[in-house]
Amino acid sequence: MRDLPFPVRDANAGGSADDLGNLPEWDLTDLYTSEDAKELSRDLDWLEQECASFAADYEGKLAELDAAGLLTCVHRNEKINAIAGRIMSFAGLRYYQLTTDADRAKFLSDMQEKITVFTTPLVFFTLEINRIDDEVLKSHFDANVDLARYEPVFRRIRAMKPYQLSDELEKFLHDLGVVGDAWERLFDETIAGLTFTVDGEELNIEGTLNLLTEQDRTKRESAARELAEVFQHNIKTFARVHNTQAKEKEIVDRWRKMPTAQTGRHLSNDVEPEVVEALREAVVAAYPKLSHRYYELKRKWLGLDVMQVWDRNAPLPMEDTRIVGWNEAEKTVMDAYDAFDPRMGEIAAPFFSKGWIDAAVKPGKAPGAFAHPTVTDVHPYVMLNYLGKPRDVMTLAHELGHGVHQVLAADQGEMLSSTPLTLAETASVFGEMLTFRKMLDQAETPQQRKVLLAGKVEDMINTVVRQIAFYDFECKLHAARREGELTPDDINALWMSVQAESPGPAFEFMDGYETFWAYIPHFVHSPFYVYAYAFGDGLVNALYSVYESGAEGFEDKYFEMLRAGGSKHHKELLAPFGLDASDPEFWGKGLSMISGFIDELEAMER
């Protein structure tokens, strides 16, 4: 069953509904017509019975199955995932539309509890797959071509084989997971409960962080100082959460005999540690020619002797405040997609016409943006909080790229369609790049071109440089925690040791910035998740350089890559383009695109 997505892009103040035009809303009836639908009751009943039957039929018996029997087992497991995923997609998407509605929250919680209870007997499935002898499994694949199609799924499951514990311990850890979840909920509830007072106005954390993008520098400074003060007031709680989560991970990793704290994330991402390290080294080595160079330009544009942390995401003085209506945004993105290949436009078009996008900002609606694939026999849904800023157009292009990818990969089926995090950003970042290039070509003045280039560079630096700095912080945090309890000051020092390096000498850091690690949810919810953002951006930049070179048949190869979903390793997916992420030169190609944009910005100044 796929996880429901977490919104990752903040919504900022923008145009009114009248300025924006007719914004689309979701039609969820392709999943279920309502929470009382007889089809939903039928699926819940089926799921309960099928999970029990599946366990009765197969527990303790997987190693005895022949190839045809194992294929039947896989198909049954896939159907369970599809029905559970459909139910949770409906409950989750309905909740995101109105998170303040108690009935929707209760419905989501009830569905989660039911499905957890129904599927708990299935814990044996992956454990027993890992006990099948390698030669037996290979002979099954040789004997049955339909089963062999699932070899990538088995390979990823069996990558955990060296780290698997006894069945009893695995079930114990499964049950104990609720304890870790409780610490995550403590973090979430603490963050959600924080209040900040800026210039007499009381705000939540999102509203306060959004002030860091205000044109008024005094307002940005007030927001930054208030964030620091409130974080410091709660720093013991955040330090306790991080200490506990890191220690729990250390214990589990030690019992599993995982060689590093990062190993589990690399396995789930289906990526080799040396590839991630090559990415990290390339980005860190490029700090001077990327972030250091860009922020020196921005310092001059802002007319400052030195930049402060509240200037990092400040708008440029010459930035256009024009509101982009929804129809114009749709046309801009669709024109870019069509210009690349009409097939991409055809796949994207139904999102706008069939209720697959929910775009308006509404009271109680979840913040940010995401594309959720639901299940492979329905279609994805895209959520935005569209306010008419040029960056919102880029967000539409990004999420629509995810949607196109998910549609194309759906033919792989439930177990093979989902891509690892490192590859999941490919189509979204590529779609964003297509749209950015289209907007850049349409820029009417050098000033418009400068603002577009600067905005793209900032996005790329936030995605690549900032996320690798986050990764370095996590590596240091988990290594230090293995030596003993960390005080808040210890964690602050680790944070500053990497954050002070990545932006460069154009910056000073106010007293209090050392606590800004406290609010970042990925550190608590998904340790070492953050490098996937940099991986995806670097991969697409390298891919786009191949496209720009006029490589023959690029479009067909691109569509085949997206259709593959999670059925191929990154090495197989990139080979048709002459790219290899394990090649030390690979990441340099991606980073050179960012550097090239900065070259152009510097040339404009001359």
Side-chain angles (χ1 to χ4, degrees), residues 430-480:
F430 195 85
E432 199 172 342
M433 183 65 80
L434 290 172
T435 305
F436 163 71
R437 293 289 191 172
K438 188 77 173 176
M439 294 171 73
L440 197 64
D441 290 343
Q442 293 173 347
E444 296 175 358
T445 66
Q447 182 169 295
Q448 287 180 357
R449 186 175 180 86
K450 178 191 285 190
V451 170
L452 282 167
L453 276 171
K456 185 61 176 172
V457 169
E458 269 188 37
D459 283 347
M460 290 170 129
I461 286 173
N462 282 335
T463 302
V464 177
V465 171
R466 187 165 164 79
Q467 300 301 326
I468 289 298
F470 283 176
Y471 177 65
D472 277 356
F473 166 72
E474 286 191 275
C475 291
K476 289 187 174 187
L477 175 77
H478 284 265

Short mmCIF file of all heavy atoms in Angstrom, two decimals, residues 430-480:
data_model
loop_
_atom_site.label_atom_id
_atom_site.label_comp_id
_atom_site.label_asym_id
_atom_site.label_seq_id
_atom_site.Cartn_x
_atom_site.Cartn_y
_atom_site.Cartn_z
N PHE A 430 11.61 17.42 -14.60
CA PHE A 430 11.73 17.59 -16.05
C PHE A 430 10.59 18.48 -16.57
O PHE A 430 10.81 19.38 -17.39
CB PHE A 430 11.72 16.24 -16.75
CG PHE A 430 12.19 16.28 -18.17
CD1 PHE A 430 13.54 16.20 -18.47
CD2 PHE A 430 11.29 16.40 -19.22
CE1 PHE A 430 13.99 16.24 -19.79
CE2 PHE A 430 11.72 16.44 -20.53
CZ PHE A 430 13.07 16.36 -20.83
N GLY A 431 9.37 18.23 -16.11
CA GLY A 431 8.24 19.05 -16.52
C GLY A 431 8.41 20.50 -16.09
O GLY A 431 8.05 21.44 -16.82
N GLU A 432 8.96 20.69 -14.91
CA GLU A 432 9.24 22.04 -14.41
C GLU A 432 10.29 22.72 -15.29
O GLU A 432 10.17 23.91 -15.61
CB GLU A 432 9.73 21.93 -12.97
CG GLU A 432 9.64 23.21 -12.17
CD GLU A 432 9.95 22.98 -10.70
OE1 GLU A 432 9.91 21.83 -10.23
OE2 GLU A 432 10.25 23.98 -10.02
N MET A 433 11.30 21.97 -15.70
CA MET A 433 12.35 22.53 -16.55
C MET A 433 11.79 22.91 -17.92
O MET A 433 12.12 23.98 -18.47
CB MET A 433 13.50 21.53 -16.70
CG MET A 433 14.67 22.06 -17.52
SD MET A 433 15.50 23.47 -16.75
CE MET A 433 16.52 22.61 -15.55
N LEU A 434 10.93 22.07 -18.49
CA LEU A 434 10.30 22.40 -19.77
C LEU A 434 9.53 23.70 -19.67
O LEU A 434 9.61 24.57 -20.56
CB LEU A 434 9.35 21.27 -20.19
CG LEU A 434 9.96 19.94 -20.63
CD1 LEU A 434 8.85 18.90 -20.82
CD2 LEU A 434 10.78 20.09 -21.91
N THR A 435 8.78 23.86 -18.58
CA THR A 435 7.96 25.06 -18.40
C THR A 435 8.83 26.28 -18.15
O THR A 435 8.58 27.37 -18.69
CB THR A 435 6.97 24.85 -17.24
OG1 THR A 435 6.20 23.67 -17.48
CG2 THR A 435 6.04 26.03 -17.09
N PHE A 436 9.86 26.11 -17.34
CA PHE A 436 10.79 27.21 -17.09
C PHE A 436 11.41 27.69 -18.39
O PHE A 436 11.49 28.90 -18.67
CB PHE A 436 11.88 26.78 -16.11
CG PHE A 436 13.08 27.68 -16.09
CD1 PHE A 436 12.99 28.96 -15.54
CD2 PHE A 436 14.28 27.27 -16.65
CE1 PHE A 436 14.08 29.80 -15.54
CE2 PHE A 436 15.38 28.11 -16.65
CZ PHE A 436 15.28 29.38 -16.09
N ARG A 437 11.87 26.76 -19.23
CA ARG A 437 12.48 27.13 -20.50
C ARG A 437 11.49 27.87 -21.40
O ARG A 437 11.86 28.82 -22.11
CB ARG A 437 13.01 25.89 -21.21
CG ARG A 437 14.17 25.21 -20.51
CD ARG A 437 15.43 26.03 -20.60
NE ARG A 437 16.59 25.28 -20.14
CZ ARG A 437 17.84 25.70 -20.25
NH1 ARG A 437 18.09 26.87 -20.80
NH2 ARG A 437 18.85 24.98 -19.80
N LYS A 438 10.23 27.43 -21.37
CA LYS A 438 9.19 28.09 -22.16
C LYS A 438 8.99 29.53 -21.68
O LYS A 438 8.93 30.46 -22.49
CB LYS A 438 7.88 27.31 -22.03
CG LYS A 438 6.77 27.78 -22.94
CD LYS A 438 6.98 27.29 -24.36
CE LYS A 438 5.79 27.60 -25.25
NZ LYS A 438 6.03 27.21 -26.64
N MET A 439 8.91 29.71 -20.35
CA MET A 439 8.73 31.05 -19.79
C MET A 439 9.95 31.92 -20.07
O MET A 439 9.83 33.11 -20.34
CB MET A 439 8.46 30.94 -18.29
CG MET A 439 7.14 30.26 -17.96
SD MET A 439 6.93 29.89 -16.19
CE MET A 439 6.64 31.54 -15.54
N LEU A 440 11.14 31.30 -20.01
CA LEU A 440 12.37 32.06 -20.27
C LEU A 440 12.40 32.54 -21.72
O LEU A 440 12.78 33.69 -21.99
CB LEU A 440 13.58 31.18 -19.98
CG LEU A 440 14.93 31.87 -19.79
CD1 LEU A 440 14.91 32.78 -18.57
CD2 LEU A 440 16.05 30.84 -19.66
N ASP A 441 11.98 31.69 -22.64
CA ASP A 441 11.93 32.08 -24.05
C ASP A 441 10.94 33.22 -24.29
O ASP A 441 11.11 34.01 -25.23
CB ASP A 441 11.54 30.88 -24.92
CG ASP A 441 12.64 29.83 -24.99
OD1 ASP A 441 13.80 30.15 -24.65
OD2 ASP A 441 12.33 28.68 -25.37
N GLN A 442 9.91 33.29 -23.46
CA GLN A 442 8.87 34.30 -23.65
C GLN A 442 9.16 35.60 -22.89
O GLN A 442 8.39 36.55 -22.99
CB GLN A 442 7.52 33.74 -23.20
CG GLN A 442 7.01 32.59 -24.07
CD GLN A 442 5.76 31.93 -23.51
OE1 GLN A 442 5.38 32.16 -22.36
NE2 GLN A 442 5.11 31.10 -24.33
N ALA A 443 10.25 35.64 -22.14
CA ALA A 443 10.60 36.85 -21.39
C ALA A 443 10.77 38.02 -22.36
O ALA A 443 11.47 37.91 -23.37
CB ALA A 443 11.87 36.64 -20.58
N GLU A 444 10.13 39.14 -22.06
CA GLU A 444 10.11 40.28 -22.98
C GLU A 444 11.24 41.26 -22.73
O GLU A 444 11.59 42.06 -23.61
CB GLU A 444 8.76 41.00 -22.88
CG GLU A 444 7.59 40.12 -23.33
CD GLU A 444 6.25 40.80 -23.11
OE1 GLU A 444 6.24 41.93 -22.58
OE2 GLU A 444 5.22 40.20 -23.50
N THR A 445 11.83 41.23 -21.53
CA THR A 445 12.88 42.18 -21.19
C THR A 445 14.02 41.45 -20.49
O THR A 445 13.81 40.37 -19.90
CB THR A 445 12.36 43.29 -20.26
OG1 THR A 445 12.00 42.69 -18.99
CG2 THR A 445 11.15 44.00 -20.86
N PRO A 446 15.23 42.02 -20.51
CA PRO A 446 16.34 41.42 -19.75
C PRO A 446 16.01 41.29 -18.26
O PRO A 446 16.44 40.33 -17.62
CB PRO A 446 17.49 42.40 -19.99
CG PRO A 446 17.17 43.06 -21.29
CD PRO A 446 15.68 43.17 -21.32
N GLN A 447 15.24 42.24 -17.73
CA GLN A 447 14.89 42.19 -16.31
C GLN A 447 14.01 40.98 -16.01
O GLN A 447 14.21 40.28 -15.01
CB GLN A 447 14.18 43.48 -15.90
CG GLN A 447 13.83 43.53 -14.42
CD GLN A 447 13.39 44.91 -14.00
OE1 GLN A 447 14.15 45.86 -14.03
NE2 GLN A 447 12.12 45.04 -13.61
N GLN A 448 13.02 40.72 -16.88
CA GLN A 448 12.17 39.54 -16.70
C GLN A 448 12.99 38.26 -16.77
O GLN A 448 12.79 37.33 -15.99
CB GLN A 448 11.07 39.50 -17.76
CG GLN A 448 9.96 40.53 -17.57
CD GLN A 448 8.90 40.45 -18.66
OE1 GLN A 448 9.02 39.65 -19.60
NE2 GLN A 448 7.87 41.26 -18.55
N ARG A 449 13.94 38.23 -17.71
CA ARG A 449 14.79 37.06 -17.85
C ARG A 449 15.64 36.86 -16.59
O ARG A 449 15.81 35.73 -16.10
CB ARG A 449 15.69 37.21 -19.08
CG ARG A 449 16.51 35.97 -19.38
CD ARG A 449 17.30 36.11 -20.68
NE ARG A 449 18.08 34.91 -20.94
CZ ARG A 449 17.63 33.82 -21.56
NH1 ARG A 449 16.38 33.80 -22.00
NH2 ARG A 449 18.40 32.77 -21.74
N LYS A 450 16.16 37.96 -16.05
CA LYS A 450 16.98 37.89 -14.84
C LYS A 450 16.18 37.32 -13.68
O LYS A 450 16.66 36.44 -12.95
CB LYS A 450 17.53 39.27 -14.47
CG LYS A 450 18.36 39.26 -13.20
CD LYS A 450 18.67 40.65 -12.69
CE LYS A 450 19.72 41.34 -13.52
NZ LYS A 450 20.18 42.61 -12.89
N VAL A 451 14.96 37.81 -13.49
CA VAL A 451 14.12 37.35 -12.38
C VAL A 451 13.80 35.85 -12.52
O VAL A 451 13.85 35.10 -11.55
CB VAL A 451 12.83 38.19 -12.27
CG1 VAL A 451 11.85 37.55 -11.28
CG2 VAL A 451 13.15 39.61 -11.85
N LEU A 452 13.49 35.43 -13.75
CA LEU A 452 13.19 34.01 -13.98
C LEU A 452 14.43 33.14 -13.70
O LEU A 452 14.34 32.11 -13.04
CB LEU A 452 12.72 33.80 -15.41
CG LEU A 452 11.27 34.20 -15.72
CD1 LEU A 452 11.04 34.24 -17.23
CD2 LEU A 452 10.29 33.22 -15.07
N LEU A 453 15.59 33.58 -14.22
CA LEU A 453 16.82 32.82 -14.00
C LEU A 453 17.15 32.74 -12.51
O LEU A 453 17.50 31.68 -11.99
CB LEU A 453 17.97 33.46 -14.76
CG LEU A 453 18.14 33.09 -16.23
CD1 LEU A 453 19.18 33.99 -16.89
CD2 LEU A 453 18.54 31.63 -16.39
N ALA A 454 17.05 33.89 -11.84
CA ALA A 454 17.38 33.93 -10.41
C ALA A 454 16.44 33.03 -9.61
O ALA A 454 16.87 32.31 -8.70
CB ALA A 454 17.31 35.36 -9.89
N GLY A 455 15.16 33.06 -9.95
CA GLY A 455 14.20 32.21 -9.24
C GLY A 455 14.50 30.74 -9.44
O GLY A 455 14.40 29.93 -8.51
N LYS A 456 14.88 30.37 -10.68
CA LYS A 456 15.21 28.97 -10.95
C LYS A 456 16.47 28.55 -10.21
O LYS A 456 16.54 27.45 -9.63
CB LYS A 456 15.39 28.77 -12.46
CG LYS A 456 15.62 27.32 -12.87
CD LYS A 456 14.43 26.44 -12.49
CE LYS A 456 14.58 25.02 -12.97
NZ LYS A 456 13.52 24.14 -12.44
N VAL A 457 17.48 29.42 -10.21
CA VAL A 457 18.71 29.10 -9.50
C VAL A 457 18.44 28.92 -8.01
O VAL A 457 18.95 27.99 -7.37
CB VAL A 457 19.78 30.19 -9.74
CG1 VAL A 457 20.96 30.01 -8.79
CG2 VAL A 457 20.27 30.15 -11.18
N GLU A 458 17.62 29.80 -7.44
CA GLU A 458 17.30 29.67 -6.00
C GLU A 458 16.60 28.35 -5.71
O GLU A 458 16.90 27.69 -4.72
CB GLU A 458 16.44 30.86 -5.54
CG GLU A 458 17.29 31.98 -5.03
CD GLU A 458 16.51 33.11 -4.38
OE1 GLU A 458 15.49 32.84 -3.71
OE2 GLU A 458 16.93 34.25 -4.54
N ASP A 459 15.65 27.99 -6.56
CA ASP A 459 14.96 26.71 -6.38
C ASP A 459 15.96 25.55 -6.43
O ASP A 459 15.89 24.61 -5.63
CB ASP A 459 13.89 26.51 -7.45
CG ASP A 459 12.64 27.33 -7.18
OD1 ASP A 459 12.51 27.86 -6.06
OD2 ASP A 459 11.80 27.45 -8.09
N MET A 460 16.88 25.61 -7.39
CA MET A 460 17.85 24.53 -7.54
C MET A 460 18.82 24.48 -6.35
O MET A 460 19.17 23.40 -5.88
CB MET A 460 18.63 24.71 -8.85
CG MET A 460 17.78 24.46 -10.09
SD MET A 460 18.64 24.98 -11.60
CE MET A 460 18.48 23.51 -12.60
N ILE A 461 19.23 25.63 -5.87
CA ILE A 461 20.12 25.66 -4.71
C ILE A 461 19.40 25.10 -3.48
O ILE A 461 19.97 24.33 -2.70
CB ILE A 461 20.65 27.09 -4.45
CG1 ILE A 461 21.70 27.44 -5.51
CG2 ILE A 461 21.25 27.22 -3.06
CD1 ILE A 461 22.16 28.88 -5.47
N ASN A 462 18.12 25.48 -3.31
CA ASN A 462 17.35 24.94 -2.18
C ASN A 462 17.17 23.43 -2.30
O ASN A 462 17.12 22.72 -1.30
CB ASN A 462 15.98 25.63 -2.11
CG ASN A 462 16.06 27.00 -1.49
OD1 ASN A 462 16.97 27.30 -0.71
ND2 ASN A 462 15.12 27.88 -1.83
N THR A 463 17.07 22.94 -3.54
CA THR A 463 16.85 21.51 -3.76
C THR A 463 18.13 20.71 -3.67
O THR A 463 18.12 19.56 -3.21
CB THR A 463 16.21 21.29 -5.15
OG1 THR A 463 14.99 22.02 -5.22
CG2 THR A 463 15.91 19.83 -5.40
N VAL A 464 19.24 21.29 -4.10
CA VAL A 464 20.49 20.54 -4.18
C VAL A 464 21.42 20.88 -3.02
O VAL A 464 21.71 20.04 -2.16
CB VAL A 464 21.19 20.80 -5.53
CG1 VAL A 464 22.52 20.08 -5.59
CG2 VAL A 464 20.31 20.35 -6.69
N VAL A 465 21.84 22.13 -2.95
CA VAL A 465 22.81 22.52 -1.92
C VAL A 465 22.22 22.41 -0.52
O VAL A 465 22.82 21.80 0.38
CB VAL A 465 23.32 23.96 -2.19
CG1 VAL A 465 24.16 24.47 -1.02
CG2 VAL A 465 24.12 24.01 -3.48
N ARG A 466 21.06 22.98 -0.32
CA ARG A 466 20.47 22.99 1.03
C ARG A 466 20.15 21.58 1.51
O ARG A 466 20.36 21.24 2.68
CB ARG A 466 19.22 23.87 1.03
CG ARG A 466 18.60 24.10 2.40
CD ARG A 466 17.62 25.27 2.32
NE ARG A 466 16.73 25.33 3.45
CZ ARG A 466 17.06 25.81 4.66
NH1 ARG A 466 18.28 26.25 4.87
NH2 ARG A 466 16.16 25.85 5.63
N GLN A 467 19.66 20.73 0.59
CA GLN A 467 19.28 19.37 1.01
C GLN A 467 20.52 18.52 1.31
O GLN A 467 20.48 17.66 2.20
CB GLN A 467 18.42 18.70 -0.06
CG GLN A 467 17.10 19.42 -0.36
CD GLN A 467 16.20 19.56 0.86
OE1 GLN A 467 16.17 18.70 1.71
NE2 GLN A 467 15.45 20.66 0.93
N ILE A 468 21.61 18.73 0.60
CA ILE A 468 22.83 18.00 0.92
C ILE A 468 23.40 18.49 2.25
O ILE A 468 23.93 17.69 3.04
CB ILE A 468 23.87 18.13 -0.22
CG1 ILE A 468 23.40 17.32 -1.43
CG2 ILE A 468 25.26 17.69 0.23
CD1 ILE A 468 23.26 15.81 -1.18
N ALA A 469 23.27 19.78 2.53
CA ALA A 469 23.67 20.27 3.86
C ALA A 469 22.81 19.63 4.95
O ALA A 469 23.31 19.26 6.02
CB ALA A 469 23.57 21.80 3.92
N PHE A 470 21.51 19.45 4.68
CA PHE A 470 20.63 18.75 5.62
C PHE A 470 21.12 17.31 5.82
O PHE A 470 21.14 16.80 6.94
CB PHE A 470 19.20 18.71 5.08
CG PHE A 470 18.43 20.00 5.22
CD1 PHE A 470 17.15 20.11 4.69
CD2 PHE A 470 18.95 21.11 5.87
CE1 PHE A 470 16.41 21.27 4.81
CE2 PHE A 470 18.23 22.28 5.99
CZ PHE A 470 16.95 22.36 5.46
N TYR A 471 21.49 16.66 4.72
CA TYR A 471 21.97 15.28 4.79
C TYR A 471 23.23 15.19 5.65
O TYR A 471 23.37 14.29 6.49
CB TYR A 471 22.22 14.75 3.38
CG TYR A 471 22.79 13.36 3.31
CD1 TYR A 471 22.06 12.26 3.75
CD2 TYR A 471 24.06 13.13 2.78
CE1 TYR A 471 22.58 10.98 3.67
CE2 TYR A 471 24.58 11.85 2.69
CZ TYR A 471 23.83 10.77 3.14
OH TYR A 471 24.35 9.50 3.06
N ASP A 472 24.14 16.12 5.44
CA ASP A 472 25.37 16.13 6.25
C ASP A 472 25.06 16.31 7.74
O ASP A 472 25.68 15.68 8.60
CB ASP A 472 26.31 17.25 5.77
CG ASP A 472 27.15 16.83 4.57
OD1 ASP A 472 27.05 15.66 4.17
OD2 ASP A 472 27.90 17.68 4.06
N PHE A 473 24.09 17.18 8.02
CA PHE A 473 23.68 17.38 9.42
C PHE A 473 23.16 16.08 10.02
O PHE A 473 23.54 15.69 11.13
CB PHE A 473 22.61 18.47 9.50
CG PHE A 473 21.88 18.52 10.81
CD1 PHE A 473 22.51 18.99 11.96
CD2 PHE A 473 20.56 18.10 10.91
CE1 PHE A 473 21.84 19.04 13.18
CE2 PHE A 473 19.88 18.13 12.11
CZ PHE A 473 20.53 18.60 13.26
N GLU A 474 22.30 15.38 9.27
CA GLU A 474 21.77 14.12 9.78
C GLU A 474 22.87 13.08 10.00
O GLU A 474 22.86 12.34 10.99
CB GLU A 474 20.73 13.56 8.80
CG GLU A 474 19.41 14.29 8.81
CD GLU A 474 18.36 13.53 8.02
OE1 GLU A 474 18.32 13.70 6.80
OE2 GLU A 474 17.60 12.76 8.63
N CYS A 475 23.81 13.00 9.05
CA CYS A 475 24.92 12.05 9.21
C CYS A 475 25.69 12.34 10.49
O CYS A 475 26.02 11.43 11.27
CB CYS A 475 25.85 12.12 8.01
SG CYS A 475 25.13 11.49 6.47
N LYS A 476 25.96 13.61 10.74
CA LYS A 476 26.71 13.99 11.95
C LYS A 476 25.87 13.74 13.21
O LYS A 476 26.39 13.28 14.23
CB LYS A 476 27.10 15.47 11.87
CG LYS A 476 28.18 15.76 10.84
CD LYS A 476 28.64 17.22 10.93
CE LYS A 476 29.82 17.47 10.02
NZ LYS A 476 30.40 18.82 10.19
N LEU A 477 24.57 14.03 13.13
CA LEU A 477 23.69 13.85 14.28
C LEU A 477 23.64 12.38 14.70
O LEU A 477 23.80 12.05 15.89
CB LEU A 477 22.28 14.35 13.94
CG LEU A 477 21.20 14.11 15.01
CD1 LEU A 477 21.35 15.11 16.14
CD2 LEU A 477 19.81 14.21 14.40
N HIS A 478 23.42 11.48 13.75
CA HIS A 478 23.29 10.06 14.08
C HIS A 478 24.62 9.47 14.53
O HIS A 478 24.65 8.62 15.42
CB HIS A 478 22.71 9.29 12.89
CG HIS A 478 21.24 9.51 12.71
ND1 HIS A 478 20.28 8.66 13.24
CD2 HIS A 478 20.54 10.50 12.09
CE1 HIS A 478 19.07 9.11 12.93
NE2 HIS A 478 19.20 10.22 12.24
N ALA A 479 25.72 9.94 13.92
CA ALA A 479 27.03 9.47 14.37
C ALA A 479 27.32 9.93 15.80
O ALA A 479 27.79 9.15 16.64
CB ALA A 479 28.12 9.98 13.43
N ALA A 480 27.00 11.17 16.11
CA ALA A 480 27.25 11.70 17.45
C ALA A 480 26.35 11.03 18.48
O ALA A 480 26.78 10.75 19.62
CB ALA A 480 27.02 13.22 17.47
#
